[in-house]
Every structure is written in C-alpha cells, then in structure tokens.
Amino acid sequence: MIRVLAIFFLIAGSTNLVEVDEKVIARQGKVSFFSYTSVEDIKAENNQVLSVIDLDQKKIAVSMLMNAFIFEKALMREHFNESYLESDIYPKAVFEGEIIDFDRTITGEQTRIIKGVFAMHGKSKELEIKSKIEKKDNKYIVSGVFETLVKDYDINIPPLLAGNIAKSISVEFRFEYEPYED
C-alpha cells in the first residue's frame, strides 16, 4: 500500500511539473517617449524596464520606475518627476495584458496585438498595441510604438507651459527576453 501511494504521489508530482507555465524575462527592457511641439521636443529613455511573458498563457507584464527616465536636460527630468508625473507619489507604471493569437512555435517574426491595461500616475487605461515579436532560438524580442494622451492619466500641465508639451505622446518599446530561471 505504501508503494502504491508513493508511486501515485510521484506521478501526480511529475504531472504538475509538466503543467508549469514557461516564462521568459527581459530585465533591461527599453521604453522611450517623444513629445513634439513647435516650441520644444521632449525625449526621454528608460533602460531599466522589467517585463515577463508567460508563453503558455500568452500573458505579458511590464513594470518601470518613472524616475529612471533619462532626458537631454536635467531640468526636464526634474519637471517630469516632480511636477508632472509626481514620481514620489506614483513611482512606477505597469502594463498587464495578453498577446492576442500569439503562436510560440513560430520561429522568425510575427505581428500581433497586445491588449491590456496600462496604469500610470494613479490612472488606468485599456490599450491595444500592434507589436512585432521575433523568435530566435529560445529568445524573443518584442517591440512596438503607440500613442497615448496626457489627459488620460490626469497629468496637470500649467497653462503657461501647455505649448511646450504635446497632448499626444509617442511611446516606443523594445524588450529582449531570455528563459526565466528561478
């Protein structure tokens, strides 16, 4: 009887191992944004973005610290963090979503829609982002560009500076994923 129970638990335990979701991780993803106005262009880049994809569930999560954005001018960074994004109160932005019709067996490139919720500055917004997914060996590269509106995240821009900041911001991202190991 003990042998039968031991074999049962061994088989049950190995079944659970097969059902474990496979994940890939990007520890130093890149997110940049660009704001064009006739007065001044604002550009910033963040190379400390973390992202994980659950390949079996087709789920993706992204997390980034807002104060990790680097600007051409120190004053822009200061205004971004203190006046607009209030990074001390809202330190990070998060995206959680699903890669629609993703096929992990395709080697090479596929274009897919990533649908999910982006949360920043205490506000959440549903997004659909057309993305390019490249698979080479066991590595994935996910990249894309999308537009977002400043007003969607309750970012207050003083009327005096409204001409310096575009109402729509172009956001570009690129993540290089490798197999996740605990």
Side-chain angles (χ1 to χ4, degrees), residues 153-172:
Y153 302 97
D154 284 345
I155 298 169
N156 295 318
I157 300 169
L160 183 63
L161 299 174
N164 294 11
I165 298 172
K167 294 177 182 174
S168 177
I169 307 292
S170 176
V171 180
E172 186 173 344

Side-chain angles (χ1 to χ4, degrees), residues 34-42 73 76 159-166:
F34 181 75
S35 164
Y36 169 80
T37 66
S38 58
V39 177
E40 183 173 38
D41 293 341
I42 300 172
K73 298 176 183 174
M76 285 182 179
L160 183 63
L161 299 174
N164 294 11
I165 298 172

Side-chain angles (χ1 to χ4, degrees), residues 1-17:
M1 182 68 168
I2 293 175
R3 279 187 179 164
V4 173
L5 285 174
I7 292 171
F8 172 76
F9 286 118
L10 183 62
I11 292 171
S14 65
T15 303
N16 287 340
L17 291 176

Side-chain angles (χ1 to χ4, degrees), residues 138-151:
N138 278 342
K139 297 182 180 183
Y140 292 84
I141 298 172
V142 177
S143 59
V145 177
F146 65 95
E147 297 286 322
T148 192
L149 301 175
V150 173
K151 70 177 185 173

